[in-house]
C-alpha cells in the first residue's frame, strides 16, 4: 500500500510559516503564531468507538492530538473501554444508535458500529442488517453533507465461504444470501456498495477496509470468537470447544496492527477495498494447541 502518513508521526512538521487562520489564537503578544510548526489536530468521529477495535483506534487518535467523538449504543461496546479519556476536552462520548440520523461537524468518519462476533450479530439478525444498511447510509449522508472523509470497516466475511485461497480484494466471494450469517455478510456487502455509490455518484472521499479475525485486550470474555473462547476455556481448565473437524483455517491479527492499518488506509490514497489481516493461516486445531502450550508454559 502506498501510504503518505504525516499523521502517524505527530512530531513531524509541515513548513507553513505565519499562516493566519484569522481566529482568536492566531496572534500572541509579538505578532502571528507560526501555526505550521505544529500539526493541527483533526476532528474525528468513531462510530462503535467504545468497542474492542474502536476503543484502541480512539486511543491512537487521542494520543496524536486529534479531537475524537465516540458514537456508540453500548450493545457490545463498554464505557470502561474509553473512560480513561473522560475529562479530556478533546474527547466526547455520545450514546447513539447509528440507525438514527446524527448531525456532527468533523473532518473524518471511522464507521465501525456493528457487532462483529457471530454470537452477537446473530442475536438479532434484523437489527444487524439494519445497522449495516441504514447505519452506513446515515453516516455516508453525514460525510456527504459535511465533506468528511469516510472509512467503512467491512469484513473478510464478504468473501463468504470462499472458493479462492487466500482471498484477494478482486475476488467477489461465494456468499449465501439466506444463511444465518447473511445478516452480517450481506449487510457488509451492501454497506460496501453504498460506500462506492456515494463515492462515484456524490464524490464522497471513501476508504474500505476488509478486516480479518482480530484479537487483543478489551475483547469481551463472552465475545464468542475463537481466540477469546479458547483462552477463557484454557484459563478455566475447561476443554477447548473446537467446532467441526477443526481443520478450517483462519488468520489472526493483533488489534494494534489493525488500528495502524486503519489509520494508514484513512490517511493514504487507496480507496480500497483493502484486506487487513495476517497472511499466516492456522487451523483451529493448531490454534487450540498453541493456546494450551502457552497456558502450560505460563503456569510453570
Ligand atoms: O469456540 C469456538 C469458536 C469458533 N470456532 C471456529 O473458529 C473459526 C473462527 O470463528 P470466529 O467466531 O472466531 O469468527 P470468524 O473468523 O468466522 O469471523 C470473524 O472474523 C472476521 C471478522 O470480520 C468477523 O467480524 C468475525 O466474526 C470458525 O471456523 C469457528 O467455527 C471454534 O472452533 N470454536
Amino acid at each position: 500500500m502506498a501510504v503518505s502518513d504525516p499523521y502517524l508521526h505527530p512530531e513531524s512538521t509541515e513548513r507553513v510559516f505565519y499562516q493566519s487562520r484569522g481566529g482568536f489564537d492566531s496572534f500572541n503578544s509579538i505578532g502571528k503564531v507560526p501555526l505550521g510548526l505544529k500539526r493541527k489536530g483533526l476532528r474525528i468521529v468513531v462510530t462503535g468507538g467504545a468497542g474492542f477495535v474502536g476503543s484502541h483506534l480512539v486511543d491512537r487518535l487521542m494520543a496524536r492530538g486529534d479531537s475524537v467523538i465516540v458514537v456508540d449504543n453500548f450493545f457490545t461496546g463498554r464505557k470502561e473501554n474509553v473512560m480513561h479519556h473522560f475529562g479530556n476536552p478533546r474527547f466526547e462520548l455520545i450514546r447513539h444508535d447509528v440507525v438514527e440520523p446524527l448531525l456532527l461537524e468533523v473532518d473524518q468518519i471511522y464507521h465501525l458500529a456493528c457487532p462483529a462476533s457471530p454470537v452477537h450479530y446473530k442475536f438479532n439478525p434484523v437489527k444487524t442488517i439494519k445497522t449495516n444498511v441504514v447505519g452506513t447510509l446515515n453516516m455516508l449522508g453525514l460525510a456527504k453533507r459535511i465533506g468528511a472523509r469516510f472509512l467503512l470497516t467491512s469484513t473478510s466475511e464478504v468473501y463468504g465461504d470462499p472458493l479462492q485461497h487466500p482471498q484477494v480484494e478482486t475476488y467477489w466471494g461465494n456468499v449465501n444470501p439466506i444463511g444465518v450469517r447473511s445478516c452480517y455478510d450481506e449487510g457488509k456487502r451492501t454497506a460496501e456498495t453504498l460506500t462506492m455509490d456515494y463515492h462515484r455518484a456524490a464524490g464522497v472521499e471513501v476508504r474500505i477496509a476488509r478486516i480479518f479475525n482480530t484479537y487483543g485486550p478489551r475483547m469481551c470474555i463472552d465475545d464468542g470468537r475463537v481466540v477469546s473462547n479458547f483462552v477463557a476455556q484454557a484459563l478455566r481448565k475447561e476443554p477447548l470447544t473446537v467446532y467441526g473437524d477443526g481443520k478450517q483455517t483462519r488468520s489472526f491479527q493483533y488489534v494494534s496492527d489493525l488500528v495502524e492499518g486503519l489509520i494508514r488506509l484513512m490517511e493514504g490514497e487507496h480507496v480500497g477495498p483493502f484486506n487487513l489481516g495476517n497472511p499466516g493461516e492456522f487451523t483451529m486445531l493448531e490454534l487450540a494447541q498453541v493456546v494450551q502450550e502457552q497456558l502450560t508454559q505460563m503456569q510453570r
Side-chain angles (χ1 to χ4, degrees):
M1 172 170 62
V3 176
S4 103
D5 184 23
Y7 300 109
L8 285 176
H9 304 286
E11 73 278 10
S12 72
T13 55
E14 195 187 324
R15 297 196 185 279
V16 183
F17 293 101
Y18 301 105
Q19 177 193 354
S20 171
R21 284 192 301 192
F24 192 56
D25 56 353
S26 296
F27 295 87
N28 63 15
S29 56
I30 55 160
K32 290 175 180 172
V33 175
L35 290 170
L37 291 179
K38 199 161 174 269
R39 175 185 167 269
K40 201 176 136 202
L42 296 174
R43 297 161 307 166
I44 300 179
V45 64
V46 181
T47 72
F52 160 52
V53 173
S55 63
H56 286 283
L57 173 64
V58 168
D59 288 350
R60 282 285 295 273
L61 299 174
M62 290 294 293
R64 73 178 194 182
D66 294 324
S67 296
V68 178
I69 303 172
V70 165
V71 171
D72 208 298
N73 70 352
F74 301 115
F75 175 55
T76 54
R78 288 175 296 168
K79 263 188 208 160
E80 290 75 11
N81 289 342
V82 288
M83 62 190 286
H84 49 286
H85 298 301
F86 288 4
N88 186 326
R90 288 189 286 107
F91 179 81
E92 278 174 74
L93 175 61
I94 303 173
R95 177 190 287 266
H96 179 85
D97 192 318
V98 290
V99 302
E100 303 298 337
L102 179 66
L103 281 182
L104 293 168
E105 282 289 334
V106 289
D107 304 301
Q108 295 182 343
I109 300 170
Y110 283 90
H111 182 43
L112 279 71
C114 183
S117 162
V119 176
H120 295 140
Y121 68 63
K122 286 192 268 184
F123 174 74
N124 187 344
V126 174
K127 182 65 197 272
T128 298
I129 197 155
K130 198 170 166 188
T131 300
N132 278 314
V133 178
V134 181
T136 303
L137 204 54
N138 281 335
M139 298 317 292
L140 279 164
L142 176 66
K144 179 181 167 190
R145 181 180 174 141
I146 62 178
R149 187 177 286 186
F150 174 91
L151 183 147
L152 171 72
T153 54
S154 183
T155 169
S156 56
E157 295 207 31
V158 297
Y159 300 118
D161 207 351
L163 304 173
Q164 246 187 43
H165 294 275
Q167 295 85 47
V168 287
E169 288 88 345
T170 46
Y171 177 51
W172 290 353
N174 178 40
V175 180
N176 176 0
I178 55 167
V180 290
R181 283 182 172 235
S182 309
C183 58
Y184 189 67
D185 304 359
E186 297 285 28
K188 287 288 188 186
R189 286 170 73 94
T190 308
E192 288 197 13
T193 307
L194 287 167
T195 302
M196 288 311 296
D197 282 339
Y198 266 78
H199 177 56
R200 284 185 292 250
V204 175
E205 276 195 68
V206 301
R207 305 287 182 263
I208 299 174
R210 289 182 179 159
I211 301 176
F212 284 63
N213 207 311
T214 307
Y215 68 97
R218 301 188 193 147
M219 259 182 124
C220 296
I221 196 92
D222 64 350
D223 178 277
R225 271 174 288 190
V226 68
V227 175
S228 50
N229 270 10
F230 283 1
V231 172
Q233 289 157 355
L235 285 169
R236 294 190 203 111
K237 298 191 181 357
E238 291 169 3
L240 307 194
T241 53
V242 177
Y243 300 159
D245 63 5
K247 290 192 182 134
Q248 66 275 39
T249 60
R250 288 291 190 280
S251 69
F252 300 101
Q253 71 186 322
Y254 194 63
V255 66
S256 57
D257 293 330
L258 169 61
V259 165
E260 172 134 10
L262 290 174
I263 293 176
R264 286 187 185 212
L265 185 58
M266 179 65 109
E267 306 299 351
E269 299 305 314
H270 190 97
V271 167
F274 200 88
N275 288 341
L276 290 176
N278 183 330
E281 283 189 51
F282 286 89
T283 65
M284 295 312 103
L285 285 172
E286 285 167 338
L287 177 70
Q289 206 179 344
V290 169
V291 172
Q292 287 287 22
E293 281 168 9
Q294 287 293 324
L295 258 276
T296 317
Q297 268 180 27
M298 281 169 57
Q299 283 160 354
R300 268 193 203 131

PDB file of all heavy atoms in Angstrom, residues 29-30 35 39 69 73 135 141 181 185 190 210 222 248 257 267 287 296:
ATOM      1  N   SER A  29       1.566  38.049  21.828  1.00  0.00           N
ATOM      2  CA  SER A  29       1.963  39.417  22.138  1.00  0.00           C
ATOM      3  C   SER A  29       2.990  39.970  21.139  1.00  0.00           C
ATOM      4  O   SER A  29       3.130  41.163  20.987  1.00  0.00           O
ATOM      5  CB  SER A  29       2.518  39.479  23.557  1.00  0.00           C
ATOM      6  OG  SER A  29       3.573  38.550  23.652  1.00  0.00           O
ATOM      7  N   ILE A  30       3.694  39.093  20.430  1.00  0.00           N
ATOM      8  CA  ILE A  30       4.682  39.620  19.477  1.00  0.00           C
ATOM      9  C   ILE A  30       4.232  39.427  18.025  1.00  0.00           C
ATOM     10  O   ILE A  30       5.006  39.513  17.104  1.00  0.00           O
ATOM     11  CB  ILE A  30       6.069  38.962  19.705  1.00  0.00           C
ATOM     12  CG1 ILE A  30       5.963  37.434  19.645  1.00  0.00           C
ATOM     13  CG2 ILE A  30       6.723  39.454  20.979  1.00  0.00           C
ATOM     14  CD1 ILE A  30       7.279  36.737  19.386  1.00  0.00           C
ATOM     15  N   LEU A  35       1.854  28.868  12.943  1.00  0.00           N
ATOM     16  CA  LEU A  35       0.962  27.714  13.101  1.00  0.00           C
ATOM     17  C   LEU A  35       1.502  26.442  12.464  1.00  0.00           C
ATOM     18  O   LEU A  35       1.271  25.351  12.946  1.00  0.00           O
ATOM     19  CB  LEU A  35      -0.404  28.020  12.455  1.00  0.00           C
ATOM     20  CG  LEU A  35      -1.246  29.050  13.180  1.00  0.00           C
ATOM     21  CD1 LEU A  35      -2.436  29.424  12.324  1.00  0.00           C
ATOM     22  CD2 LEU A  35      -1.698  28.511  14.518  1.00  0.00           C
ATOM     23  N   ARG A  39       1.367  20.253  14.141  1.00  0.00           N
ATOM     24  CA  ARG A  39       0.312  19.604  13.388  1.00  0.00           C
ATOM     25  C   ARG A  39      -1.037  19.971  13.987  1.00  0.00           C
ATOM     26  O   ARG A  39      -1.229  19.918  15.187  1.00  0.00           O
ATOM     27  CB  ARG A  39       0.493  18.094  13.461  1.00  0.00           C
ATOM     28  CG  ARG A  39      -0.616  17.348  12.816  1.00  0.00           C
ATOM     29  CD  ARG A  39      -0.460  15.865  13.030  1.00  0.00           C
ATOM     30  NE  ARG A  39      -1.695  15.231  12.651  1.00  0.00           N
ATOM     31  CZ  ARG A  39      -2.687  14.997  13.499  1.00  0.00           C
ATOM     32  NH1 ARG A  39      -2.574  15.317  14.747  1.00  0.00           N
ATOM     33  NH2 ARG A  39      -3.792  14.434  13.068  1.00  0.00           N
ATOM     34  N   ILE A  69     -14.846  12.200  18.731  1.00  0.00           N
ATOM     35  CA  ILE A  69     -16.210  11.989  19.211  1.00  0.00           C
ATOM     36  C   ILE A  69     -16.535  10.508  19.023  1.00  0.00           C
ATOM     37  O   ILE A  69     -16.493  10.003  17.894  1.00  0.00           O
ATOM     38  CB  ILE A  69     -17.233  12.831  18.417  1.00  0.00           C
ATOM     39  CG1 ILE A  69     -16.886  14.323  18.489  1.00  0.00           C
ATOM     40  CG2 ILE A  69     -18.648  12.582  18.936  1.00  0.00           C
ATOM     41  CD1 ILE A  69     -17.738  15.197  17.572  1.00  0.00           C
ATOM     42  N   ASN A  73     -23.830   2.694  20.844  1.00  0.00           N
ATOM     43  CA  ASN A  73     -25.104   2.396  21.515  1.00  0.00           C
ATOM     44  C   ASN A  73     -24.900   1.399  22.667  1.00  0.00           C
ATOM     45  O   ASN A  73     -25.864   0.986  23.306  1.00  0.00           O
ATOM     46  CB  ASN A  73     -26.156   1.858  20.519  1.00  0.00           C
ATOM     47  CG  ASN A  73     -25.812   0.454  20.020  1.00  0.00           C
ATOM     48  OD1 ASN A  73     -24.727  -0.066  20.282  1.00  0.00           O
ATOM     49  ND2 ASN A  73     -26.741  -0.148  19.300  1.00  0.00           N
ATOM     50  N   GLY A 135     -27.526   2.252   9.054  1.00  0.00           N
ATOM     51  CA  GLY A 135     -26.455   2.935   9.788  1.00  0.00           C
ATOM     52  C   GLY A 135     -25.399   3.490   8.843  1.00  0.00           C
ATOM     53  O   GLY A 135     -24.964   4.638   8.972  1.00  0.00           O
ATOM     54  N   GLY A 141     -24.392   9.755   4.457  1.00  0.00           N
ATOM     55  CA  GLY A 141     -25.138  11.002   4.248  1.00  0.00           C
ATOM     56  C   GLY A 141     -24.466  12.144   5.001  1.00  0.00           C
ATOM     57  O   GLY A 141     -24.313  13.259   4.481  1.00  0.00           O
ATOM     58  N   ARG A 181     -25.532 -16.359   8.662  1.00  0.00           N
ATOM     59  CA  ARG A 181     -24.528 -15.302   8.714  1.00  0.00           C
ATOM     60  C   ARG A 181     -24.836 -14.164   7.730  1.00  0.00           C
ATOM     61  O   ARG A 181     -24.117 -13.167   7.697  1.00  0.00           O
ATOM     62  CB  ARG A 181     -23.139 -15.856   8.370  1.00  0.00           C
ATOM     63  CG  ARG A 181     -22.482 -16.633   9.495  1.00  0.00           C
ATOM     64  CD  ARG A 181     -21.093 -17.099   9.095  1.00  0.00           C
ATOM     65  NE  ARG A 181     -20.401 -17.676  10.223  1.00  0.00           N
ATOM     66  CZ  ARG A 181     -19.204 -17.284  10.662  1.00  0.00           C
ATOM     67  NH1 ARG A 181     -18.546 -16.331  10.051  1.00  0.00           N
ATOM     68  NH2 ARG A 181     -18.660 -17.855  11.712  1.00  0.00           N
ATOM     69  N   ASP A 185     -22.811 -10.818   6.532  1.00  0.00           N
ATOM     70  CA  ASP A 185     -22.109 -10.869   5.228  1.00  0.00           C
ATOM     71  C   ASP A 185     -22.760  -9.943   4.212  1.00  0.00           C
ATOM     72  O   ASP A 185     -22.102  -9.115   3.585  1.00  0.00           O
ATOM     73  CB  ASP A 185     -22.190 -12.266   4.587  1.00  0.00           C
ATOM     74  CG  ASP A 185     -21.665 -13.379   5.450  1.00  0.00           C
ATOM     75  OD1 ASP A 185     -21.198 -13.106   6.562  1.00  0.00           O
ATOM     76  OD2 ASP A 185     -21.737 -14.543   4.997  1.00  0.00           O
ATOM     77  N   THR A 190     -23.624  -4.859   1.255  1.00  0.00           N
ATOM     78  CA  THR A 190     -24.448  -3.704   0.881  1.00  0.00           C
ATOM     79  C   THR A 190     -23.793  -2.407   1.360  1.00  0.00           C
ATOM     80  O   THR A 190     -23.811  -1.390   0.655  1.00  0.00           O
ATOM     81  CB  THR A 190     -25.863  -3.841   1.479  1.00  0.00           C
ATOM     82  OG1 THR A 190     -26.369  -5.117   1.125  1.00  0.00           O
ATOM     83  CG2 THR A 190     -26.801  -2.758   0.984  1.00  0.00           C
ATOM     84  N   ARG A 210     -11.355  -4.341   4.695  1.00  0.00           N
ATOM     85  CA  ARG A 210     -11.957  -5.654   4.970  1.00  0.00           C
ATOM     86  C   ARG A 210     -11.138  -6.312   6.076  1.00  0.00           C
ATOM     87  O   ARG A 210      -9.996  -6.718   5.849  1.00  0.00           O
ATOM     88  CB  ARG A 210     -11.962  -6.526   3.710  1.00  0.00           C
ATOM     89  CG  ARG A 210     -12.957  -6.012   2.683  1.00  0.00           C
ATOM     90  CD  ARG A 210     -12.996  -6.889   1.448  1.00  0.00           C
ATOM     91  NE  ARG A 210     -13.978  -6.359   0.511  1.00  0.00           N
ATOM     92  CZ  ARG A 210     -13.984  -6.625  -0.782  1.00  0.00           C
ATOM     93  NH1 ARG A 210     -13.075  -7.425  -1.300  1.00  0.00           N
ATOM     94  NH2 ARG A 210     -14.912  -6.099  -1.574  1.00  0.00           N
ATOM     95  N   ASP A 222     -16.984 -13.010  26.840  1.00  0.00           N
ATOM     96  CA  ASP A 222     -18.081 -13.737  26.186  1.00  0.00           C
ATOM     97  C   ASP A 222     -18.227 -13.332  24.723  1.00  0.00           C
ATOM     98  O   ASP A 222     -19.281 -13.466  24.125  1.00  0.00           O
ATOM     99  CB  ASP A 222     -19.402 -13.482  26.932  1.00  0.00           C
ATOM    100  CG  ASP A 222     -19.810 -12.014  26.870  1.00  0.00           C
ATOM    101  OD1 ASP A 222     -18.993 -11.176  26.422  1.00  0.00           O
ATOM    102  OD2 ASP A 222     -20.957 -11.706  27.263  1.00  0.00           O
ATOM    103  N   GLN A 248     -10.704 -26.227   9.591  1.00  0.00           N
ATOM    104  CA  GLN A 248     -10.956 -24.942   8.938  1.00  0.00           C
ATOM    105  C   GLN A 248      -9.862 -23.953   9.353  1.00  0.00           C
ATOM    106  O   GLN A 248      -9.362 -24.024  10.476  1.00  0.00           O
ATOM    107  CB  GLN A 248     -12.357 -24.393   9.276  1.00  0.00           C
ATOM    108  CG  GLN A 248     -12.613 -23.992  10.715  1.00  0.00           C
ATOM    109  CD  GLN A 248     -13.043 -25.151  11.611  1.00  0.00           C
ATOM    110  OE1 GLN A 248     -12.550 -26.262  11.500  1.00  0.00           O
ATOM    111  NE2 GLN A 248     -13.937 -24.865  12.554  1.00  0.00           N
ATOM    112  N   ASP A 257      -2.020  -3.837  15.276  1.00  0.00           N
ATOM    113  CA  ASP A 257      -1.673  -3.871  13.849  1.00  0.00           C
ATOM    114  C   ASP A 257      -2.864  -3.432  13.005  1.00  0.00           C
ATOM    115  O   ASP A 257      -2.726  -2.691  12.029  1.00  0.00           O
ATOM    116  CB  ASP A 257      -1.249  -5.283  13.428  1.00  0.00           C
ATOM    117  CG  ASP A 257       0.058  -5.704  14.089  1.00  0.00           C
ATOM    118  OD1 ASP A 257       0.886  -4.820  14.373  1.00  0.00           O
ATOM    119  OD2 ASP A 257       0.241  -6.911  14.327  1.00  0.00           O
ATOM    120  N   GLU A 267      -5.478   7.739   5.897  1.00  0.00           N
ATOM    121  CA  GLU A 267      -4.601   8.857   5.515  1.00  0.00           C
ATOM    122  C   GLU A 267      -3.996   8.691   4.122  1.00  0.00           C
ATOM    123  O   GLU A 267      -3.472   9.641   3.561  1.00  0.00           O
ATOM    124  CB  GLU A 267      -3.454   9.016   6.523  1.00  0.00           C
ATOM    125  CG  GLU A 267      -3.878   9.162   7.986  1.00  0.00           C
ATOM    126  CD  GLU A 267      -4.734  10.369   8.240  1.00  0.00           C
ATOM    127  OE1 GLU A 267      -4.875  11.214   7.321  1.00  0.00           O
ATOM    128  OE2 GLU A 267      -5.295  10.470   9.346  1.00  0.00           O
ATOM    129  N   LEU A 287      -4.480 -23.800  16.469  1.00  0.00           N
ATOM    130  CA  LEU A 287      -4.686 -22.691  17.419  1.00  0.00           C
ATOM    131  C   LEU A 287      -4.915 -23.232  18.831  1.00  0.00           C
ATOM    132  O   LEU A 287      -4.333 -22.726  19.808  1.00  0.00           O
ATOM    133  CB  LEU A 287      -5.869 -21.829  16.982  1.00  0.00           C
ATOM    134  CG  LEU A 287      -6.211 -20.694  17.932  1.00  0.00           C
ATOM    135  CD1 LEU A 287      -5.142 -19.603  17.922  1.00  0.00           C
ATOM    136  CD2 LEU A 287      -7.563 -20.070  17.588  1.00  0.00           C
ATOM    137  N   THR A 296       0.238 -23.649  29.531  1.00  0.00           N
ATOM    138  CA  THR A 296       1.045 -24.582  30.321  1.00  0.00           C
ATOM    139  C   THR A 296       2.376 -23.920  30.690  1.00  0.00           C
ATOM    140  O   THR A 296       2.827 -23.997  31.830  1.00  0.00           O
ATOM    141  CB  THR A 296       1.309 -25.880  29.517  1.00  0.00           C
ATOM    142  OG1 THR A 296       0.092 -26.241  28.874  1.00  0.00           O
ATOM    143  CG2 THR A 296       1.780 -27.017  30.376  1.00  0.00           C
TER     144      THR A 296
END
